[in-house]
Amino acid sequence: MGALLSLPLLAVPSMSTLVTFGASCCGAATCSAVCSACGVFQSSMATRIAYAVILLLNSIISWLMLTPWALKKLEHLTLDYMNITCQGKQCYGYVAVQRVNFALGLFHFCLAFLLLGVKSSRDGRASLQNGYWGPKVLVWLAFVVITFFIPETFFQIWGQYFALIGAMLFVLLGLILLVDLAHTWAEYCLEKIENHDSRTWRTLLIGSTLGMYTASFAMIIIMYIFFANGGCAMNQAAITINLLILLITSFISVHPVVQEHNPQAGLAQSAMVAVYCTYLTMSAVSMEPDDKHCNPLIRAKGTRTASIVLGAIVTMLTIAYTTTRAATQGVALSSNNGHGYSKLGDEEPEHGLVDQQPPSRKALRAEALRAAVEAGSLPANALDDDSDSDYDEDSKSGGKDDERGGTQYNYSLFHVIFLLATTWVATLLTQNIDYDSDINFAPVGRTYWASWVKIVSAWVCYAIYTWSLVAPVLLPGRFGG
């Protein structure tokens, strides 16, 4: 693994190699091959996975920028022009992390601006989202290079203020979407049970609720046994508060007054929120420093470097997945119709005269499809196949375009959330860096700051969920519909 990760940093032994490599990459044959291999993705899922992979790679590179090994390689890449030293509180590794994430954030900001108002893949700008992967990767790497010519003072201010605010917004958005997911999941199961009297969905709803509550209490017991010994007041308080709030929110969800204003509220949503918040609390206590002998995982036997590397990669994978899910689901915050399919017009003409030609067979077919979609007989993506010409175009491009009738998510909002994710990665990696550590790889999130962020995030998630329960009671006029 170390050799694999070191390959990108070993590619520049001399200036002649740089020139030769650049000339070969810029050749017409090479560019043609890259563009053909990285063409337009017909599936919106493939596009989202590609952006998630870029975020994952960017996060891993940022993490490597904190290590002495990476700093030495960076000095070699600059032909020993940069003499990287750590003076005072700010180390060049800190600034390097901010530079790399600022570059990717700027990349997503540009795409968010360029893709404003795109409603379907028929818009010419949609290809910026789903295609041009070779040029886009080159632009991203160019931004990374450019950031190293920006003074360090800018990134110190950016990291201490702007990136921190963006990181908090990203965490808050993720919590809101988690609560929304809990309600959506429970309401979907209840709808299936009511409409089809399905024993399968009833069993799934009850089983998942019991399973998530069982997992929550199991994690609480494990935390009390291993992380709440004498002298661990912080852990004891965090675990106990989580347990109390879990019980309170569960009681509120089944209270008669709440049920009267929101009959679909119940333990199913509470269980999902409880297991997630308990997981956050357990992650907080298991990743805190061991200066007070409250974290036995750090003292466990085994390869410390391997555990740090594995933990960092798992963390980055989680961030990439969470960001992609939040960016796709986030369209619900701005629109009730994420697909952008237009509804049939209900307006009648002002006169009874015929003022247009009879609709063609193609138009009649499209109208019948729209009516079937609105009636619920067909899925919304059935409108993607509303013409033979569309089918021919998709066949020529090598696949089916699932966004011809409307985008599956808001492109601009997608990139804004990825921008916030870069600030979260930068903040997570650069808070309370241990410059005196003698290990080659920096642990990710093993600070009291990261632990408290997770603990407070769990409390905020409980608060958001509780508000979603009591809001219809306190504001019946607004939530009565």
Side-chain angles (χ1 to χ4, degrees), residues 145-159:
V145 174
I146 292 174
T147 58
F148 278 87
F149 293 94
I150 301 176
E152 294 186 8
T153 306
F154 170 82
F155 291 103
Q156 293 174 1
I157 297 176
W158 172 266

Side-chain angles (χ1 to χ4, degrees), residues 91-103:
C91 180
Y92 194 89
Y94 170 96
V95 179
V97 171
Q98 297 294 343
R99 292 181 193 275
V100 172
N101 285 280
F102 178 83

Side-chain angles (χ1 to χ4, degrees), residues 7-23:
L7 287 178
L9 298 179
L10 295 174
V12 191
S14 66
M15 184 60 69
S16 61
T17 306
L18 270 177
V19 175
T20 305
F21 180 77

